[in-house]
Coordinates of all heavy atoms in Angstrom, one line a residue:
M28 N 1.1 0.9 -9.1 CA 1.4 0.1 -10.3 C 0.6 -1.2 -10.2 O 0.2 -1.7 -11.3 CB 2.8 -0.2 -10.4 CG 3.6 1.0 -10.9 SD 5.4 0.8 -11.2 CE 5.8 -0.8 -10.7
S29 N 0.3 -1.8 -9.0 CA -0.4 -3.0 -8.9 C -1.8 -2.9 -9.4 O -2.4 -3.8 -9.9 CB -0.3 -3.6 -7.5 OG -1.0 -2.7 -6.6
L30 N -2.4 -1.7 -9.3 CA -3.8 -1.5 -9.8 C -3.8 -1.3 -11.3 O -4.8 -1.6 -11.9 CB -4.3 -0.2 -9.1 CG -4.5 -0.3 -7.6 CD1 -5.0 1.1 -7.1 CD2 -5.5 -1.3 -7.2
L31 N -2.7 -0.9 -11.9 CA -2.7 -0.8 -13.3 C -2.4 -2.1 -14.1 O -2.8 -2.3 -15.2 CB -1.6 0.2 -13.8 CG -1.9 1.7 -13.4 CD1 -0.7 2.5 -13.7 CD2 -3.1 2.2 -14.1
A32 N -1.7 -3.0 -13.4 CA -1.2 -4.3 -14.0 C -2.4 -5.1 -14.6 O -2.3 -5.5 -15.8 CB -0.4 -5.1 -13.1
P33 N -3.5 -5.3 -13.9 CA -4.6 -6.1 -14.5 C -5.2 -5.4 -15.8 O -5.7 -6.1 -16.6 CB -5.7 -6.1 -13.4 CG -4.9 -5.8 -12.2 CD -3.8 -4.9 -12.5
K34 N -5.1 -4.1 -15.9 CA -5.6 -3.5 -17.1 C -4.8 -3.7 -18.3 O -5.3 -3.5 -19.5 CB -5.8 -2.0 -16.8 CG -6.7 -1.7 -15.7 CD -6.8 -0.2 -15.4 CE -7.7 0.2 -14.3 NZ -9.0 -0.4 -14.1
T35 N -3.6 -4.1 -18.2 CA -2.7 -4.4 -19.3 C -2.7 -5.8 -19.8 O -2.1 -6.1 -20.9 CB -1.2 -4.0 -19.0 OG1 -0.7 -4.9 -18.0 CG2 -1.1 -2.6 -18.6
V36 N -3.4 -6.7 -19.1 CA -3.4 -8.1 -19.5 C -3.9 -8.4 -20.9 O -3.3 -9.1 -21.7 CB -4.2 -9.0 -18.5 CG1 -4.4 -10.4 -18.9 CG2 -3.5 -9.0 -17.1
P37 N -5.0 -7.7 -21.4 CA -5.4 -8.0 -22.7 C -4.6 -7.3 -23.8 O -4.8 -7.6 -25.0 CB -6.9 -7.5 -22.8 CG -7.0 -6.6 -21.6 CD -6.0 -7.0 -20.6
M38 N -3.7 -6.4 -23.4 CA -2.9 -5.7 -24.4 C -1.6 -6.3 -24.8 O -1.1 -6.0 -25.9 CB -2.5 -4.3 -23.8 CG -3.7 -3.5 -23.4 SD -3.1 -2.0 -22.6 CE -4.5 -1.0 -22.5
F39 N -1.1 -7.2 -24.0 CA 0.3 -7.8 -24.3 C 0.3 -9.3 -24.1 O -0.6 -9.9 -23.4 CB 1.3 -7.2 -23.3 CG 1.3 -5.7 -23.4 CD1 0.7 -4.9 -22.4 CD2 2.0 -5.0 -24.4 CE1 0.7 -3.5 -22.4 CE2 2.0 -3.6 -24.5 CZ 1.4 -2.9 -23.5
H40 N 1.3 -9.9 -24.6 CA 1.6 -11.4 -24.4 C 2.6 -11.5 -23.3 O 3.7 -11.0 -23.4 CB 2.1 -12.0 -25.7 CG 1.1 -12.1 -26.8 ND1 0.1 -13.0 -26.9 CD2 1.0 -11.3 -27.9 CE1 -0.6 -12.8 -28.0 NE2 -0.1 -11.8 -28.6
F41 N 2.2 -12.1 -22.2 CA 3.1 -12.2 -21.0 C 3.9 -13.5 -21.0 O 4.9 -13.6 -20.4 CB 2.3 -12.0 -19.7 CG 1.8 -10.6 -19.5 CD1 0.6 -10.2 -20.0 CD2 2.6 -9.7 -18.9 CE1 0.1 -8.9 -19.8 CE2 2.2 -8.4 -18.7 CZ 0.9 -8.0 -19.1
T42 N 3.4 -14.5 -21.7 CA 4.1 -15.8 -21.7 C 4.0 -16.4 -23.1 O 3.3 -15.9 -24.0 CB 3.4 -16.8 -20.7 OG1 2.0 -17.0 -21.1 CG2 3.5 -16.3 -19.3
G43 N 4.8 -17.5 -23.3 CA 4.8 -18.2 -24.6 C 5.7 -17.6 -25.6 O 6.5 -16.7 -25.3
D44 N 5.6 -18.1 -26.8 CA 6.5 -17.7 -27.9 C 6.3 -16.3 -28.3 O 7.2 -15.7 -28.9 CB 6.3 -18.6 -29.1 CG 6.7 -20.1 -28.9 OD1 7.5 -20.3 -28.0 OD2 6.2 -20.9 -29.6
K45 N 5.2 -15.7 -28.1 CA 4.9 -14.3 -28.5 C 5.0 -13.3 -27.3 O 4.5 -12.2 -27.4 CB 3.5 -14.2 -29.1 CG 3.3 -15.1 -30.3 CD 1.9 -14.9 -30.8 CE 1.6 -15.7 -32.1 NZ 0.3 -15.6 -32.6
A46 N 5.7 -13.7 -26.3 CA 5.9 -12.8 -25.1 C 6.5 -11.5 -25.6 O 7.5 -11.4 -26.3 CB 6.7 -13.4 -24.1
T47 N 5.8 -10.4 -25.2 CA 6.2 -9.0 -25.6 C 6.5 -8.2 -24.4 O 6.8 -7.0 -24.5 CB 5.1 -8.3 -26.4 OG1 3.9 -8.3 -25.6 CG2 4.8 -9.1 -27.7
T48 N 6.5 -8.7 -23.2 CA 6.8 -7.9 -22.0 C 8.1 -8.4 -21.3 O 8.5 -9.5 -21.3 CB 5.6 -8.1 -21.0 OG1 5.5 -9.5 -20.7 CG2 4.3 -7.6 -21.5
P49 N 8.7 -7.4 -20.6 CA 10.0 -7.8 -19.9 C 9.7 -8.6 -18.7 O 8.6 -8.5 -18.1 CB 10.6 -6.4 -19.6 CG 9.4 -5.5 -19.5 CD 8.4 -6.0 -20.5
T50 N 10.7 -9.4 -18.3 CA 10.5 -10.2 -17.0 C 11.2 -9.6 -15.9 O 11.2 -10.1 -14.8 CB 11.0 -11.6 -17.3 OG1 12.3 -11.5 -17.7 CG2 10.1 -12.3 -18.3
C51 N 12.0 -8.5 -16.1 CA 12.7 -7.8 -15.0 C 11.7 -7.2 -14.0 O 10.7 -6.5 -14.4 CB 13.6 -6.7 -15.5 SG 14.8 -7.3 -16.7
P52 N 11.9 -7.3 -12.7 CA 11.1 -6.6 -11.8 C 11.3 -5.1 -11.7 O 12.4 -4.7 -12.2 CB 11.4 -7.3 -10.4 CG 12.8 -7.8 -10.6 CD 12.9 -8.1 -12.1
I53 N 10.4 -4.4 -11.2 CA 10.5 -2.9 -11.1 C 10.5 -2.6 -9.6 O 9.5 -3.0 -8.9 CB 9.4 -2.2 -11.8 CG1 9.4 -2.5 -13.2 CG2 9.6 -0.7 -11.6 CD1 8.2 -1.9 -14.0
D54 N 11.5 -2.0 -9.1 CA 11.5 -1.5 -7.7 C 11.0 -0.1 -7.6 O 11.5 0.8 -8.4 CB 12.9 -1.6 -7.1 CG 13.4 -3.0 -6.9 OD1 12.6 -3.9 -6.8 OD2 14.6 -3.1 -6.8
V55 N 10.0 0.2 -6.8 CA 9.5 1.5 -6.6 C 10.2 2.1 -5.4 O 10.3 1.6 -4.3 CB 8.0 1.5 -6.3 CG1 7.4 2.9 -6.1 CG2 7.3 0.8 -7.5
Q56 N 10.8 3.3 -5.6 CA 11.6 4.0 -4.6 C 11.1 5.4 -4.4 O 10.8 6.1 -5.4 CB 13.1 4.0 -4.9 CG 13.6 2.6 -5.1 CD 15.1 2.6 -5.6 OE1 15.6 3.7 -6.0 NE2 15.8 1.5 -5.5
P57 N 11.1 5.9 -3.2 CA 10.8 7.3 -3.0 C 12.0 8.2 -3.3 O 13.1 7.8 -3.1 CB 10.4 7.4 -1.5 CG 11.2 6.3 -0.9 CD 11.2 5.2 -1.9
N58 N 11.7 9.4 -3.8 CA 12.8 10.4 -4.0 C 12.5 11.6 -3.1 O 11.6 12.3 -3.4 CB 12.8 10.8 -5.5 CG 14.0 11.6 -5.9 OD1 14.7 12.1 -5.0 ND2 14.3 11.8 -7.1
F59 N 13.4 11.7 -2.1 CA 13.2 12.8 -1.2 C 13.8 14.1 -1.5 O 13.8 15.0 -0.7 CB 13.6 12.3 0.2 CG 12.8 11.2 0.8 CD1 13.3 9.9 0.9 CD2 11.5 11.4 1.1 CE1 12.6 8.9 1.3 CE2 10.7 10.3 1.6 CZ 11.3 9.1 1.7
D60 N 14.4 14.2 -2.7 CA 15.0 15.5 -3.1 C 14.0 16.5 -3.5 O 13.3 16.3 -4.5 CB 16.0 15.2 -4.3 CG 16.7 16.4 -4.8 OD1 16.5 17.5 -4.3 OD2 17.5 16.2 -5.7
P61 N 13.8 17.6 -2.8 CA 12.8 18.6 -3.2 C 12.9 19.2 -4.5 O 12.0 19.7 -5.1 CB 12.9 19.6 -2.1 CG 14.0 19.3 -1.2 CD 14.6 18.0 -1.7
A62 N 14.1 19.1 -5.1 CA 14.4 19.7 -6.5 C 13.8 18.7 -7.5 O 13.7 19.1 -8.7 CB 15.8 19.9 -6.7
M63 N 13.6 17.5 -7.2 CA 13.1 16.5 -8.2 C 11.6 16.3 -7.9 O 11.3 15.6 -7.0 CB 13.9 15.1 -8.0 CG 15.4 15.3 -8.3 SD 15.8 15.9 -9.9 CE 15.4 14.5 -10.9
T64 N 10.8 16.9 -8.8 CA 9.4 16.8 -8.5 C 8.6 15.9 -9.5 O 7.4 15.9 -9.6 CB 8.8 18.2 -8.6 OG1 9.1 18.8 -9.9 CG2 9.3 19.1 -7.5
F65 N 9.4 15.2 -10.4 CA 8.8 14.4 -11.4 C 9.3 12.9 -11.2 O 10.4 12.7 -10.7 CB 9.1 14.9 -12.8 CG 8.5 16.2 -13.1 CD1 9.2 17.4 -12.9 CD2 7.2 16.3 -13.5 CE1 8.6 18.6 -13.2 CE2 6.6 17.5 -13.8 CZ 7.3 18.6 -13.6
Q66 N 8.5 12.0 -11.7 CA 8.8 10.6 -11.6 C 10.0 10.3 -12.6 O 10.2 11.0 -13.6 CB 7.7 9.7 -12.0 CG 6.5 9.8 -11.1 CD 5.6 10.9 -11.3 OE1 5.9 11.9 -12.0 NE2 4.4 10.9 -10.7
S67 N 10.8 9.2 -12.3 CA 11.8 8.9 -13.2 C 11.9 7.3 -13.3 O 11.6 6.6 -12.3 CB 13.2 9.5 -12.8 OG 13.5 9.0 -11.5
Y68 N 12.4 6.8 -14.4 CA 12.6 5.4 -14.6 C 14.0 5.1 -15.0 O 14.6 5.8 -15.8 CB 11.6 4.9 -15.7 CG 11.8 3.5 -16.1 CD1 11.2 2.5 -15.3 CD2 12.6 3.1 -17.2 CE1 11.4 1.1 -15.7 CE2 12.8 1.8 -17.5 CZ 12.2 0.8 -16.8 OH 12.4 -0.5 -17.1
H69 N 14.6 4.1 -14.4 CA 15.9 3.6 -14.8 C 15.9 2.2 -15.1 O 15.4 1.3 -14.2 CB 16.9 3.9 -13.6 CG 16.9 5.3 -13.2 ND1 17.6 6.3 -13.8 CD2 16.3 6.0 -12.2 CE1 17.5 7.5 -13.3 NE2 16.6 7.3 -12.3
S70 N 16.2 1.8 -16.3 CA 16.1 0.4 -16.7 C 17.1 -0.5 -16.1 O 18.1 -0.1 -15.6 CB 16.1 0.4 -18.3 OG 17.4 0.8 -18.7
S71 N 16.8 -1.8 -16.3 CA 17.7 -2.8 -15.9 C 18.7 -3.1 -17.1 O 18.6 -2.4 -18.1 CB 16.9 -4.1 -15.6 OG 17.8 -5.2 -15.2
D72 N 19.6 -4.1 -16.9 CA 20.4 -4.4 -18.1 C 19.7 -5.5 -18.9 O 18.6 -6.0 -18.5 CB 21.8 -4.9 -17.7 CG 21.7 -6.0 -16.7 OD1 20.7 -6.7 -16.6 OD2 22.8 -6.2 -16.0
S73 N 20.2 -5.9 -20.0 CA 19.5 -6.9 -20.9 C 19.4 -8.3 -20.3 O 18.5 -9.0 -20.7 CB 20.3 -7.0 -22.2 OG 21.6 -7.4 -22.0
N74 N 20.2 -8.6 -19.3 CA 20.1 -9.9 -18.6 C 19.3 -9.9 -17.3 O 19.2 -10.9 -16.7 CB 21.5 -10.5 -18.4 CG 22.3 -10.7 -19.6 OD1 21.7 -11.2 -20.6 ND2 23.5 -10.5 -19.6
C75 N 18.7 -8.8 -17.0 CA 17.9 -8.6 -15.8 C 18.7 -9.0 -14.5 O 18.2 -9.6 -13.6 CB 16.6 -9.4 -15.8 SG 15.4 -8.8 -17.0
T76 N 20.0 -8.6 -14.5 CA 20.8 -8.9 -13.3 C 20.5 -8.0 -12.1 O 20.9 -8.3 -11.0 CB 22.3 -8.8 -13.6 OG1 22.6 -7.5 -14.1 CG2 22.7 -9.8 -14.6
K77 N 19.7 -6.9 -12.4 CA 19.3 -6.0 -11.3 C 17.8 -5.6 -11.7 O 17.4 -5.7 -12.8 CB 20.2 -4.8 -11.2 CG 20.2 -4.0 -12.4 CD 21.1 -2.8 -12.2 CE 21.0 -1.9 -13.5 NZ 21.5 -0.6 -13.3
S78 N 17.1 -5.1 -10.7 CA 15.8 -4.6 -11.0 C 15.8 -3.3 -11.6 O 16.7 -2.5 -11.4 CB 15.0 -4.5 -9.7 OG 14.8 -5.7 -9.1
A79 N 14.8 -3.0 -12.4 CA 14.6 -1.6 -12.9 C 14.1 -0.8 -11.7 O 13.6 -1.4 -10.8 CB 13.6 -1.6 -14.0
T80 N 14.3 0.5 -11.8 CA 13.8 1.3 -10.7 C 12.9 2.4 -11.2 O 13.1 3.0 -12.2 CB 14.9 2.0 -9.9 OG1 15.8 2.7 -10.8 CG2 15.8 1.0 -9.2
F81 N 11.8 2.7 -10.4 CA 10.9 3.7 -10.7 C 10.9 4.6 -9.5 O 10.5 4.2 -8.4 CB 9.5 3.1 -11.0 CG 8.4 4.1 -11.1 CD1 8.5 5.2 -11.9 CD2 7.2 3.9 -10.4 CE1 7.4 6.1 -12.0 CE2 6.2 4.8 -10.5 CZ 6.3 5.9 -11.3
K82 N 11.3 5.8 -9.6 CA 11.4 6.7 -8.5 C 10.2 7.7 -8.5 O 9.9 8.4 -9.5 CB 12.7 7.5 -8.5 CG 13.9 6.6 -8.3 CD 15.2 7.3 -8.1 CE 16.3 6.4 -7.8 NZ 17.5 7.1 -7.5
I83 N 9.5 7.8 -7.4 CA 8.4 8.7 -7.2 C 8.8 9.8 -6.3 O 9.3 9.5 -5.2 CB 7.2 7.9 -6.6 CG1 6.8 6.8 -7.5 CG2 6.0 8.8 -6.4 CD1 5.7 5.9 -7.0
P84 N 8.6 11.0 -6.7 CA 9.0 12.2 -5.8 C 8.1 12.3 -4.6 O 6.8 12.1 -4.7 CB 8.8 13.4 -6.7 CG 7.8 13.0 -7.7 CD 8.0 11.5 -7.9
F85 N 8.7 12.5 -3.5 CA 7.9 12.8 -2.2 C 7.2 14.1 -2.3 O 6.1 14.3 -1.9 CB 8.9 12.8 -1.0 CG 8.2 12.9 0.3 CD1 7.5 11.9 0.8 CD2 8.2 14.1 1.0 CE1 6.8 12.0 2.0 CE2 7.5 14.3 2.2 CZ 6.9 13.2 2.7
F86 N 7.9 15.1 -3.0 CA 7.3 16.4 -3.2 C 6.8 16.5 -4.6 O 7.4 17.0 -5.5 CB 8.4 17.5 -2.9 CG 9.0 17.4 -1.6 CD1 10.3 16.8 -1.4 CD2 8.4 17.9 -0.4 CE1 10.9 16.7 -0.2 CE2 9.0 17.8 0.8 CZ 10.2 17.2 0.9
S87 N 5.6 16.0 -4.8 CA 5.0 15.9 -6.2 C 4.2 17.2 -6.5 O 3.5 17.8 -5.7 CB 4.1 14.7 -6.3 OG 3.5 14.7 -7.6
L88 N 4.3 17.6 -7.8 CA 3.5 18.7 -8.3 C 2.2 18.2 -8.8 O 1.3 19.0 -9.1 CB 4.3 19.4 -9.5 CG 5.6 20.0 -9.1 CD1 6.2 20.6 -10.4 CD2 5.4 21.2 -8.1
F89 N 2.0 16.9 -9.0 CA 0.8 16.4 -9.6 C -0.3 16.1 -8.6 O 0.0 15.6 -7.5 CB 1.1 15.1 -10.4 CG 2.0 15.3 -11.6 CD1 3.3 14.9 -11.5 CD2 1.5 15.8 -12.7 CE1 4.1 15.0 -12.6 CE2 2.3 16.0 -13.8 CZ 3.6 15.6 -13.8
P90 N -1.5 16.4 -8.9 CA -2.6 15.9 -8.0 C -2.6 14.4 -8.0 O -2.2 13.8 -9.0 CB -3.9 16.5 -8.7 CG -3.4 17.5 -9.6 CD -2.0 17.2 -10.0
T91 N -3.2 13.8 -7.0 CA -3.2 12.4 -6.8 C -3.8 11.7 -8.0 O -3.4 10.7 -8.5 CB -3.9 12.0 -5.5 OG1 -3.3 12.6 -4.4 CG2 -3.9 10.5 -5.3
Y92 N -4.9 12.2 -8.6 CA -5.6 11.6 -9.7 C -4.8 11.6 -10.9 O -5.0 10.7 -11.8 CB -7.0 12.2 -9.9 CG -6.9 13.7 -10.3 CD1 -6.8 14.0 -11.7 CD2 -7.0 14.7 -9.4 CE1 -6.7 15.4 -12.0 CE2 -7.0 16.0 -9.7 CZ -6.8 16.3 -11.1 OH -6.8 17.7 -11.4
E93 N -3.8 12.4 -11.1 CA -2.9 12.4 -12.3 C -1.8 11.4 -12.1 O -1.1 11.1 -13.1 CB -2.4 13.8 -12.6 CG -3.5 14.7 -13.1 CD -2.9 16.1 -13.5 OE1 -1.7 16.2 -13.6 OE2 -3.7 17.0 -13.8
E94 N -1.5 10.9 -10.9 CA -0.4 10.0 -10.7 C -0.5 8.8 -11.5 O 0.5 8.3 -12.0 CB -0.2 9.7 -9.2 CG 0.2 10.8 -8.4 CD 1.7 11.2 -8.6 OE1 2.5 10.4 -9.0 OE2 2.0 12.4 -8.4
W95 N -1.7 8.2 -11.7 CA -1.8 7.0 -12.4 C -1.3 7.1 -13.8 O -0.6 6.2 -14.3 CB -3.3 6.6 -12.5 CG -3.8 5.8 -11.3 CD1 -3.5 6.0 -10.0 CD2 -4.6 4.7 -11.4 NE1 -4.1 5.1 -9.2 CE2 -4.8 4.2 -10.0 CE3 -5.3 4.0 -12.4 CZ2 -5.6 3.1 -9.7 CZ3 -6.1 2.9 -12.1 CH2 -6.2 2.5 -10.7
S96 N -1.7 8.1 -14.6 CA -1.2 8.2 -16.0 C 0.3 8.4 -16.0 O 0.9 7.8 -16.9 CB -2.0 9.3 -16.7 OG -1.8 10.5 -16.1
V97 N 0.8 9.2 -15.1 CA 2.3 9.4 -15.2 C 3.0 8.1 -14.7 O 4.0 7.8 -15.3 CB 2.7 10.6 -14.3 CG1 4.2 10.8 -14.2 CG2 2.0 11.9 -14.8
D98 N 2.5 7.4 -13.7 CA 3.1 6.2 -13.3 C 3.1 5.2 -14.5 O 4.1 4.5 -14.7 CB 2.3 5.6 -12.1 CG 2.5 6.4 -10.9 OD1 3.3 7.3 -10.9 OD2 1.8 6.1 -9.9
A99 N 2.0 5.1 -15.2 CA 2.0 4.1 -16.3 C 2.9 4.6 -17.4 O 3.6 3.7 -18.1 CB 0.5 4.1 -16.9
H100 N 3.1 5.9 -17.6 CA 4.1 6.3 -18.6 C 5.5 6.0 -18.2 O 6.3 5.6 -19.1 CB 3.9 7.9 -18.8 CG 5.0 8.5 -19.6 ND1 5.1 8.5 -20.9 CD2 6.2 9.1 -19.1 CE1 6.2 9.1 -21.3 NE2 6.9 9.5 -20.2
E101 N 5.8 6.2 -17.0 CA 7.2 6.0 -16.5 C 7.5 4.5 -16.3 O 8.7 4.1 -16.6 CB 7.5 6.7 -15.2 CG 7.5 8.2 -15.4 CD 8.7 8.7 -16.2 OE1 9.7 8.0 -16.3 OE2 8.6 9.8 -16.7
A102 N 6.6 3.7 -15.8 CA 7.0 2.3 -15.4 C 6.3 1.3 -16.4 O 6.7 1.2 -17.5 CB 6.6 2.1 -14.0
M103 N 5.3 0.6 -15.9 CA 4.7 -0.4 -16.7 C 3.3 0.0 -17.1 O 2.5 0.3 -16.2 CB 4.7 -1.7 -15.9 CG 4.1 -2.9 -16.6 SD 5.2 -3.4 -18.0 CE 4.4 -4.8 -18.6
P104 N 3.0 0.1 -18.3 CA 3.6 -0.4 -19.5 C 4.6 0.5 -20.2 O 5.3 0.2 -21.1 CB 2.5 -0.8 -20.4 CG 1.4 0.2 -20.1 CD 1.6 0.5 -18.6
G105 N 4.7 1.8 -19.7 CA 5.5 2.8 -20.4 C 7.0 2.5 -20.8 O 7.3 1.6 -21.6
H106 N 7.9 3.1 -20.1 CA 9.3 3.0 -20.4 C 9.8 1.5 -20.2 O 10.8 1.1 -20.8 CB 10.2 4.0 -19.7 CG 9.9 5.4 -20.1 ND1 10.1 5.8 -21.4 CD2 9.6 6.5 -19.4 CE1 9.9 7.1 -21.4 NE2 9.5 7.5 -20.2
H107 N 9.2 0.8 -19.3 CA 9.7 -0.6 -19.0 C 9.5 -1.4 -20.3 O 10.4 -2.3 -20.6 CB 8.8 -1.2 -17.9 CG 9.5 -2.4 -17.2 ND1 10.8 -2.4 -16.7 CD2 9.0 -3.6 -17.0 CE1 11.0 -3.5 -16.2 NE2 10.0 -4.3 -16.4
L108 N 8.5 -1.2 -21.1 CA 8.3 -1.9 -22.3 C 9.1 -1.3 -23.4 O 9.6 -2.0 -24.3 CB 6.8 -1.9 -22.8 CG 5.9 -2.8 -22.0 CD1 4.5 -2.6 -22.6 CD2 6.3 -4.3 -22.1
Q109 N 9.3 0.0 -23.4 CA 10.1 0.7 -24.4 C 11.5 0.3 -24.4 O 12.1 0.1 -25.5 CB 9.9 2.2 -24.2 CG 10.6 3.0 -25.2 CD 10.5 4.5 -24.9 OE1 10.3 4.9 -23.7 NE2 10.7 5.3 -25.8
V110 N 12.1 0.2 -23.2 CA 13.5 -0.1 -23.1 C 13.8 -1.6 -23.3 O 14.6 -2.0 -23.9 CB 14.1 0.4 -21.8 CG1 15.5 0.0 -21.6 CG2 13.9 1.9 -21.7

């Protein structure tokens, strides 16, 4: 996710009156359940009292080069902006 973040800078307002991005942090966690082969995102609450979580499966079906697009869909800017 840290490699994708610089690519989103020109797309969104991160500060000021027009801020369009959430300020809640995202915790990346491994998912060791072999039955769960896809990434998942769990949002924070509206007051950001806890971090959002992005779970990456240890047993992935995706090739490494496809992980970037799925990571962006699940975390930032994907569901993290949507929720």
Side-chain angles (χ1 to χ4, degrees):
M28 285 185 355
S29 64
L30 295 174
L31 292 173
K34 297 180 185 312
T35 65
V36 171
M38 299 175 170
F39 305 101
H40 294 281
F41 289 90
T42 59
D44 295 338
K45 296 181 180 180
T47 58
T48 56
T50 56
C51 301
I53 304 173
D54 290 338
V55 178
Q56 300 174 349
N58 188 345
F59 294 111
D60 181 357
M63 300 301 290
T64 57
F65 294 95
Q66 295 84 344
S67 63
Y68 174 82
H69 303 279
S70 62
S71 178
D72 57 19
S73 60
N74 295 324
C75 291
T76 58
K77 61 179 184 164
S78 297
T80 56
F81 171 52
K82 293 188 176 186
I83 300 175
F85 184 77
F86 304 99
S87 179
L88 296 176
F89 295 105
T91 303
Y92 62 87
E93 288 185 10
E94 289 290 333
W95 272 42
S96 60
V97 176
D98 292 350
H100 167 82
E101 289 293 336
M103 182 67 175
H106 291 304
H107 198 56
L108 288 178
Q109 180 184 21
V110 176

